[in-house]
């Protein structure tokens, strides 16, 4: 008996049946007797299909695992696993469940055996000896059915592929339509944004011109008020009664405060208009801070607070605008004196990575609440100090202008709560003002 399934030779083409020109199919012949397998091959050879042998139920199962068959001709009476048992195992497997099985048997033709064969999954039951023409006709019918099923399967696959392509095309069309709509909306938004930006620029330019004009116009009468007040306080127009002198001093202080506000507004308008002048020169630290003490020492003495200077490491040289740095530090020191409750003020400086410098101003006053720290650099903001009492001195523009000046010089200005009480303002400046920095036009 044969020991493995193999294909039997057959002609390249056969005139039998309307599907003879179609691709040959695989047919499995299962019989434990070699002469029976030869006989089956001889009968089926004219059909031009690929025939494979199996000499037992076990070989048949192995063959089915390796190949897809269109039909199985299965002998019933075989040693070991008989045909019925083999058919049941074939039908139990999902992949081979639909393969048609024709039982061939020389044993009893009793109806009980026929029924058992159909129950095992057979589509037909032929008794030996069988009529070769009848067997060929039956096999040809199942071959044609297989071709029809394959044709339907291919058509179904083609239909599904066409449906997928149609869905993809529809989806692509929707995407293109959405992209076109999005592009149109984006173009409209860009136009609106461009118009808004142009309007905003015009408004900013108008505001800057108004601030500048207002500041220039206001400074003349304010300076006149300060001048006449000075003359009155100096007794040029004769002696003043104590109450008169006290009133004029208050007027003089209010006028100075108003002049500070006007100057701050003018500085802010210049910065926003990009017309703030920056004059870069070599600057040495801590020498610049020490020179500033001449200006702030009288204010500190009047408030009763001591100012301590300390520099960590060697002297640092940077290229920046000394006048703007002094403006920033003067504002920080003035605030520390005003809001430090007469307690000591520490000014420390040290070299920063990359050749820059960091200058910190710390007061030991009540400090700024953590919730208010992000607001200290907002314009026209007056925070509470001294145990919750608002201090009216100042314009509310000093810190915002100082931070913007630090940015113009390529640096940063930050505020934080100091450990143990008070506040720390930290100015960090680079080794030189960035080349792509602000314009140096003067209004």
């Amino acid at each position: 008996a044969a020991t493995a399934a193999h294909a039997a030779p057959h002609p390249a083409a056969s005139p039998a049946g309307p599907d003879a020109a179609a691709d040959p199919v695989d047919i499995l012949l299962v019989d434990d007797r070699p002469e029976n397998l030869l006989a089956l091959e001889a009968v089926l050879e004219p059909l031009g299909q690929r025939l494979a042998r199996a000499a037992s139920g076990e070989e048949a199962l192995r063959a089915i695992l390796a190949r897809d068959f269109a039909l199985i001709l299965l002998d019933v009476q075989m040693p070991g696993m008989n045909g019925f048992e083999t058919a049941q195992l074939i039908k139990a497997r999902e992949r081979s469940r639909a393969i048609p099985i024709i039982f061939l048997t020389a044993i009893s033709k009793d109806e009980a055996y026929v029924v058992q064969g159909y129950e095992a999954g057979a589509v037909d039951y032929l008794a030996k000896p069988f009529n070769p023409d009848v067997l060929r006709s039956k096999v040809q019918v199942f071959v044609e059915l297989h071709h029809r099923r394959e044709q339907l399967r291919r058509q179904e696959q083609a239909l599904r592929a066409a449906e997928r392509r149609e869905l993809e095309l529809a989806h692509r069309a929707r995407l293109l339509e959405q992209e076109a709509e999005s592009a149109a909306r984006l173009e409209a938004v860009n136009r609106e944004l461009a118009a808004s930006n142009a309007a905003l620029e015009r408004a900013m330019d108008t505001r800057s011109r108004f601030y500048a004009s207002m500041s220039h116009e206001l400074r003349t009468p304010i300076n006149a008020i300060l001048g006449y007040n000075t003359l009155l306080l100096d007794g040029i127009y004769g002696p003043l009664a104590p109450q008169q002198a006290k009133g004029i001093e208050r007027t003089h202080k209010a006028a100075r405060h108003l002049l500070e506000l006007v100057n701050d507004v003018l500085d802010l308008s210049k910065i926003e208009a990009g017309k703030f002048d920056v004059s870069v020169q070599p600057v040495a630290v801590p020498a610049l801070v020490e020179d500033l003490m001449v200006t702030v020492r009288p204010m500190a003495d009047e408030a009763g607070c001591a100012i301590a200077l300390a520099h960590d490491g060697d002297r640092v040289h940077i290229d920046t605008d000394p006048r703007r740095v002094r403006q920033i530090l003067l504002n920080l020191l003035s605030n520390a004196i005003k809001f430090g409750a007469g307690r000591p003020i520490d000014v420390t400086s040290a070299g920063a990575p990359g050749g820059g410098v960091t200058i910190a101003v710390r007061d030991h006053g009540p400090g700024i609440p953590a919730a208010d720290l992000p607001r200290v650099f907002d314009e026209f903001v007056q925070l509470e100090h001294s145990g919750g009492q608002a201090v009216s001195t100042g314009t509310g523009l000093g810190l915002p202008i100082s931070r913007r000046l630090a940015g113009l010089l390529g640096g940063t200005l930050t505020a934080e709560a100091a450990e143990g009480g008070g506040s720390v303002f930290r100015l960090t400046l680079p080794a030189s003002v960035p080349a792509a920095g602000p314009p140096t036009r003067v209004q």
Side-chain angles (χ1 to χ4, degrees):
T3 58
H6 63 280
H10 56 77
S14 170
D19 286 320
D23 292 336
V25 300
D26 293 308
I27 299 175
L28 180 61
L29 311 178
V30 186
D31 200 304
D32 64 311
R33 299 174 64 89
E35 60 271 21
N36 290 344
L37 292 173
L38 287 172
L40 286 173
E41 289 176 350
V43 170
L44 299 178
E45 186 176 8
L47 298 180
Q49 308 305 320
R50 291 188 296 268
L51 305 177
R53 291 183 182 184
S56 66
E58 292 82 357
E59 281 191 24
L61 293 176
R62 287 196 294 270
I64 292 171
L65 290 174
R67 296 164 65 178
D68 292 324
F69 291 97
L71 178 65
I72 300 174
L73 301 182
L74 180 58
D75 184 30
V76 173
Q77 191 174 11
M78 294 185 296
M81 185 185 299
N82 64 32
F84 295 145
E85 295 169 339
T86 303
Q88 289 174 349
L89 291 175
I90 292 173
K91 293 300 181 180
R93 183 169 172 262
E94 182 67 29
R95 180 177 172 183
S96 58
R97 182 174 298 170
I99 301 176
I101 299 175
I102 297 178
F103 277 122
L104 303 175
T105 181
I107 62 174
S108 173
K109 302 175 185 178
D110 186 77
E111 184 177 351
Y113 283 97
V114 177
V115 172
Q116 185 179 0
Y118 286 120
E119 289 178 349
V123 296
D124 208 344
Y125 193 100
L126 295 180
K128 299 176 183 179
F130 49 78
N131 187 315
D133 292 331
V134 172
L135 180 60
R136 271 196 301 270
S137 297
K138 289 180 179 290
V139 170
Q140 181 63 36
V141 168
F142 286 109
V143 169
E144 292 174 1
L145 286 174
H146 179 79
H147 284 311
R148 297 292 183 269
R149 285 195 300 270
E150 286 297 307
Q151 184 179 7
L152 288 174
R153 184 182 61 80
R154 289 193 293 269
Q155 290 175 350
E156 183 181 2
Q157 290 177 344
L159 180 60
R160 290 179 179 174
E163 291 175 348
R164 284 196 300 270
R165 286 195 297 271
E166 184 177 355
L167 289 175
E168 290 173 358
L169 290 174
H171 181 63
R172 187 176 302 174
R174 286 195 299 271
L175 287 178
L176 291 174
E177 184 178 354
Q178 292 172 357
E179 288 178 0
E181 293 176 355
S182 299
R185 287 197 297 268
L186 182 60
E187 184 178 357
V189 170
N190 285 338
R191 287 197 299 268
E192 293 177 1
L193 184 60
S196 299
N197 286 339
L200 180 61
E201 289 179 1
R202 290 194 297 271
M204 292 289 291
D205 187 59
T206 300
R207 189 184 74 167
S208 297
R209 289 199 305 270
F210 170 75
Y211 280 170
S213 175
M214 179 193 69
S215 300
H216 283 301
E217 294 297 328
L218 287 176
R219 279 196 292 185
T220 299
I222 293 173
N223 284 324
I225 293 173
L226 291 172
Y228 282 115
N229 282 345
T230 301
L231 293 176
L232 287 171
L233 292 173
D234 290 343
I236 301 299
Y237 298 109
L240 296 174
Q243 291 297 326
Q244 292 174 329
K246 187 175 182 180
I248 293 176
E249 286 176 355
R250 290 178 178 176
T251 303
H252 196 67
K253 183 181 292 186
R256 283 204 309 268
H257 177 70
L258 182 58
L259 183 60
E260 290 177 6
L261 176 60
V262 170
N263 289 333
D264 286 345
V265 170
L266 181 60
D267 284 345
L268 187 63
S269 67
K270 287 182 178 181
I271 294 173
E272 290 183 346
K275 299 178 180 179
F276 206 82
D277 60 306
V278 175
S279 177
V280 179
Q281 303 173 25
V283 174
V285 178
L288 181 142
V289 182
E290 294 169 351
D291 292 343
L292 194 60
M293 289 301 102
V294 177
T295 303
V296 299
R297 187 75 67 184
M299 296 172 55
D301 293 341
E302 183 179 353
C305 61
I307 301 179
L309 304 181
H311 181 76
D312 185 12
D314 297 331
R315 178 175 298 187
V316 179
H317 294 272
I318 61 175
D319 292 328
T320 189
D321 188 331
R323 185 162 67 95
R324 301 307 173 191
V325 177
R326 279 193 292 268
Q327 184 176 350
I328 297 171
L329 293 177
L330 180 60
N331 182 269
L332 298 181
L333 288 167
S334 298
N335 285 345
I337 294 171
K338 291 176 186 176
F339 307 125
R343 297 169 187 167
I345 298 172
D346 298 323
V347 182
T348 58
S349 57
V357 67
T358 297
I359 304 173
V361 177
R362 174 184 176 175
D363 66 73
H364 293 77
I368 302 171
D372 290 335
L373 275 175
R375 300 175 52 233
V376 297
F377 295 106
D378 292 343
E379 297 167 8
F380 299 105
V381 170
Q382 292 282 357
L383 300 178
E384 291 185 350
H385 296 269
S386 303
Q389 299 298 320
V391 179
S392 60
T393 56
T395 65
L397 289 175
L399 288 176
I401 291 175
S402 296
R403 171 171 270 190
R404 295 199 185 193
L405 288 176
L408 289 175
L409 299 177
T412 59
L413 178 61
T414 60
E416 61 189 62
E419 185 177 355
S423 304
V424 178
F425 287 83
R426 204 178 308 277
L427 172 65
T428 301
L429 297 172
S432 60
V433 176
T440 57
R441 295 173 295 169
V442 181
Q443 186 179 19

